[in-house]
């Protein structure tokens, strides 16, 4: 069994409520941070832990915190990004729904470190029942003296507020989130200035993902040096993976970043193998915007090494033969799935979610959807495949925010690895309407699932 | 149409929301207050409703319109009493959401974006709602309905009808 740091107590009945959370060691880290450590020591510990942003970008958290500007008399803000919208990702929802106090405790420690007296949890609007859970946890914590004025007699004040979004993927981008929190359209800002200097209401602001903030709690409890021992290399600690698609046991899993992709998919501890005894065709390992990989490149790198569930190993080979750990949204596709149709749903998604600010993204995402629709519905031409390639290249890197890249990468990877499936669609338009291309050679050679026993 | 006016209770809620932000930053309350308004005034935002929200928060009406039109959860035209928002993005699609959408269309005799003649149901397809492991799924009001099957859809429709009859 893998060791856990975030969900180790998630199974305890009543852990959603303060008393149970507290009697199981909760708020010990907040007490330690506020009473005995102080902000500088906490920052050092987080830096030492190697914690990387769990929202998808993987930027070192301690470093991000150290960038925050500290002008005299200007308030600083901590914003928790709970806008979880990357298709395939549903891990933060699990954390907030079942152990809300872990996030609240993480927010207290992090706000204390940054010198922020107000923190906002910006949660996607569709998670409409979760703000009630969070607000109850906040009220309990406040009632017990963990929030409000002069917390634990340290002179530190903190209020936490929950803000609901209203349906916009783009608000997961930190500057769009800030705009939305200010009551505006979620249009990303041009950077610099970065939020650490001019963020919410033009004040220094740090935006961190839910899981990142929760991870601060075990880091303070066990120390950065100990945290590093969970994981490998620059992938320290544990990561929540939300697994979905054609697997036997979809759900949220906490993994130590030292297991193989194969073990994650086939072992009974995690996904439990492919549903209905089908074969694995492809997988998007880190949320819809990271490159899709065919089974053979997913389980082993191009160099023939075992692919691991780490930032480095999933990225091995760059975009030519690798992908990314991203947000941990792990989407598995079996032999019956159609890559063209799947890519079309993502192109439609990004077209729908483009904020419209930058023309390459606003126009390009629409063109990609249209061309993919033609190919999927039997009206494609061979030249459309090159056209798609051309469009995605012209979006990538040419937009204010990374949504453009996020829209381009899935299309690029699908063509890169599954070009023959696109060509088959064009060459056999009638047949493509009645059946899928199938497994073809993508999964050959398919290694025996060693971890299935 | 009845005059657009929040109840005393809702007005207090608006005050409470505004108090979350520093003085003068009440524009930040816009999205939460639009949620309140949509809930209070029939599940959608009319021009009158948006103008009312603008006056409450001392904003220009255009500031409200540009936000209301940006976010997909705000309905700008009337919807049925029960709004089925079925996810159709990749992970739901590979788990059979296309069949669920077709099933609802046939069962209710409406297309996507349409409302049944009795004003009871509206069908909408939406993009990823973050329930990929429990697919196919839809949002119904405040909550998610997950692991959908045709039988489960039947149950949900029956549940809505009996709720409507009880009211």
């Amino acid at each position: 069994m893998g060791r856990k740091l975030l969900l180790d107590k998630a199974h305890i009945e009543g852990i959603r409520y303060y008393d149970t959370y507290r009697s199981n060691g909760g708020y010990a880290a907040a007490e330690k941070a506020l009473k005995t450590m102080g902000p500088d020591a906490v920052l050092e510990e987080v830096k030492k832990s190697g914690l990387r942003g769990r929202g998808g970008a993987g930027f070192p958290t301690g470093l991000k915190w150290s960038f925050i500007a500290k002008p005299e008399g200007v308030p600083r803000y901590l914003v928790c990004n709970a806008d979880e919208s990357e298709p395939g990702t549903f891990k933060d929802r699990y954390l907030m729904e079942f152990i809300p106090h872990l996030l609240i405790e993480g927010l207290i420690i992090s706000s204390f470190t940054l010198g922020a007296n107000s923190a906002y949890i910006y949660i996607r609007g569709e998670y409409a029942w979760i703000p009630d859970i969070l607000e109850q946890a906040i009220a309990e914590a406040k009632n017990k003296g963990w929030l409000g004025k002069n917390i634990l007699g340290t002179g530190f004040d903190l209020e936490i507020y929950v803000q609901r979004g209203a349906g916009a993927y783009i608000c997961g981008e930190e500057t769009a989130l800030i705009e939305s929190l200010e009551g505006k359209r979620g249009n990303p800002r041009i950077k610099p200035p970065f939020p650490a200097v001019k963020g919410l209401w033009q004040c220094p602001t740090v935006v961190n993902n839910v899981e990142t903030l929760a991870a601060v709690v075990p880091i303070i409890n066990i120390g950065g040096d100990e945290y590093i021992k969970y994981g490998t290399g620059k992938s320290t600690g544990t990561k929540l993976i939300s697994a979905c698609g054609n697997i036997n046991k979809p759900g949220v899993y906490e993994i130590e970043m030292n297991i193989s992709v194969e073990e994650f998919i086939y072992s009974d501890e995690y996904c439990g193998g492919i549903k209905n005894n089908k074969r694995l065709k492809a997988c998007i390992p880190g949320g819809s915007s990271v490159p899709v990989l065919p089974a053979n490149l997913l389980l082993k790198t191009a160099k023939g090494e075992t692919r691991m569930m780490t930032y480095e190993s999933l990225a091995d080979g760059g975009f030519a033969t690798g992908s990314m750990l991203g947000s941990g949204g792990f989407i598995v596709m079996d032999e019956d799935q159609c890559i063209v149709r799947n890519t079309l749903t993502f192109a439609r998604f990004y077209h729908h979610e483009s904020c419209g600010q930058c023309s390459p993204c606003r126009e390009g995402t629409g063109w990609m959807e249209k061309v993919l629709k033609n190919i999927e519905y039997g009206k494609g031409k061979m030249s459309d495949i090159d056209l798609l390639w051309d469009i995605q290249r012209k979006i990538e890197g040419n937009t204010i925010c990374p949504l453009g890249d996020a829209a381009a990468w899935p299309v690029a990877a699908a063509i890169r690895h599954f070009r023959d499936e696109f060509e088959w669609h064009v060459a056999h338009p009638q047949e493509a309407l009645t059946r899928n291309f199938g497994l073809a050679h993508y999964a050959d050679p398919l290694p025996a699932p060693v971890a299935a026993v | 149409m009845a005059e657009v006016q929040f109840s005393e209770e809702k007005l207090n809620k608006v005050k409470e929301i505004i108090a979350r932000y520093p003085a003068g930053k009440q524009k930040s309350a816009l999205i939460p207050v639009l949620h309140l308004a949509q809930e209070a005034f029939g599940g959608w935002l009319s021009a009158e409703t948006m103008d009312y929200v603008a006056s409450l928060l001392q904003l220009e009406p255009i500031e409200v319109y540009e936000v209301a039109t940006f976010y997909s959860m705000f309905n700008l035209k009337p919807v049925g009493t029960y709004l089925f928002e079925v996810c159709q993005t990749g992970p739901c699609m590979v788990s059979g959401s296309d069949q669920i959408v077709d099933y609802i269309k046939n069962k209710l005799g409406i297309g996507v974006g349409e409302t049944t003649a009795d004003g009871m149901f509206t069908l909408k397809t939406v993009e990823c709602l973050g329930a990929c492991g429990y697919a196919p799924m839809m949002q119904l009001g405040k909550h998610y309905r997950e692991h959908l099957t045709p039988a489960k859809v039947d149950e949900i429709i029956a549940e809505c009808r009996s709720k409507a009859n009880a009211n």
Side-chain angles (χ1 to χ4, degrees), chain A residues 120 132 163 165 181 184, chain B residues 20-21 28 35 71 98 142:
Chain A
Y120 294 89
D132 296 344
Q163 175 103 342
L181 197 44
K184 300 180 221 158
Chain B
R20 296 171 187 171
Y21 318 104
S28 284
H35 276 304
Y71 295 92
D98 290 351
K142 202 172 172 178

Side-chain angles (χ1 to χ4, degrees), chain A residues 77 84-90 93-94 118 120 122 124-129 132 135 161-168 170-171 176 179-187 200-201 243-246 250-252 331-333 337-338 341-343 345-346 348-349 352-356, chain B residues 13 16-22 24-32 34-36 39 59 63-74 85 87-98 124-135 137 139 141-144 146-147:
Chain A
Y77 295 101
E84 186 164 68
S85 311
E86 174 82 8
T89 316
F90 48 99
R93 164 189 169 184
Y94 187 94
S118 300
Y120 294 89
Y122 182 96
R124 67 176 300 173
E126 294 91 341
Y127 287 171
W129 69 99
D132 296 344
E135 278 170 354
Y161 305 101
V162 183
Q163 175 103 342
R164 260 178 86 197
I170 189 63
C171 292
E179 287 284 299
S180 182
L181 197 44
E182 292 183 0
K184 300 180 221 158
R185 298 165 74 91
N187 287 350
L200 183 59
W201 303 306
C244 61
N246 310 119
V252 178
I331 310 168
V332 180
M333 286 176 268
Q337 301 308 323
C338 171
R341 184 158 186 83
N342 193 65
T343 310
T345 72
F346 291 133
R348 188 190 58 216
F349 173 85
H352 184 262
E353 302 300 340
S354 173
C355 81
Chain B
K13 184 75 194 167
E16 185 195 315
I17 293 169
I18 293 173
R20 296 171 187 171
Y21 318 104
K25 304 294 182 194
Q26 79 275 5
K27 184 168 178 175
S28 284
L30 180 51
I31 291 171
L34 283 174
H35 276 304
L36 273 186
E39 219 176 276
L59 300 172
E63 294 177 273
V64 179
Y65 305 159
E66 61 180 21
V67 163
T69 53
F70 185 84
Y71 295 92
S72 63
M73 287 182 77
F74 295 130
E85 297 177 281
C87 175
Q88 54 166 5
T89 314
C92 271
M93 192 277 290
V94 305
S95 308
S97 62
D98 290 351
K124 207 170 143 184
T125 53
V126 295
E127 299 297 347
C128 188
L129 296 185
C132 319
Y134 324 110
M137 62 77 66
Q139 179 145 37
K142 202 172 172 178
H143 293 276
Y144 284 3
E146 297 167 334
H147 300 294

Side-chain angles (χ1 to χ4, degrees), chain A residues 147-299:
Chain A
L147 291 169
K149 297 265 176 223
N150 192 20
I151 299 165
L152 304 185
T154 57
F156 172 61
D157 306 337
L158 177 64
E159 295 292 342
I160 300 177
Y161 305 101
V162 183
Q163 175 103 342
R164 260 178 86 197
Y169 167 76
I170 189 63
C171 292
E173 195 278 339
E174 59 180 12
T175 60
L177 188 157
I178 289 170
E179 287 284 299
S180 182
L181 197 44
E182 292 183 0
K184 300 180 221 158
R185 298 165 74 91
N187 287 350
R189 295 175 181 173
I190 293 174
K191 294 182 266 190
F194 288 91
V197 178
K198 281 183 193 296
L200 183 59
W201 303 306
Q202 297 298 309
C203 298
T205 303
V206 165
V207 183
N208 283 143
N209 169 259
V210 171
E211 185 189 347
T212 311
L213 291 164
V216 171
V217 176
I219 288 169
I220 296 307
N221 273 326
I222 64 175
D225 288 333
E226 197 56 34
Y227 187 78
I228 285 175
K229 294 178 189 161
Y230 294 68
T232 35
K234 286 187 176 162
S235 301
T236 59
T238 61
K239 174 86 188 81
L240 297 183
I241 305 289
S242 56
C244 61
N246 310 119
I247 46 175
N248 280 317
K249 299 195 312 170
V252 178
Y253 296 99
E254 181 172 9
I255 61 160
E256 284 188 63
M257 286 192 273
N258 60 12
I259 63 168
S260 70
V261 174
E262 191 168 341
E263 180 182 350
F264 184 69
I265 294 179
Y266 290 102
S267 86
D268 285 336
E269 191 180 343
Y270 304 109
C271 303
I274 308 299
K275 220 171 164 178
N276 303 321
N277 292 315
K278 300 269 183 188
R279 294 174 74 191
L280 171 67
K281 178 176 182 178
C283 173
I284 303 165
S288 64
S289 42
V290 310
V292 56
L293 289 178
N296 49 7
L297 278 177
L298 175 74
L299 303 178

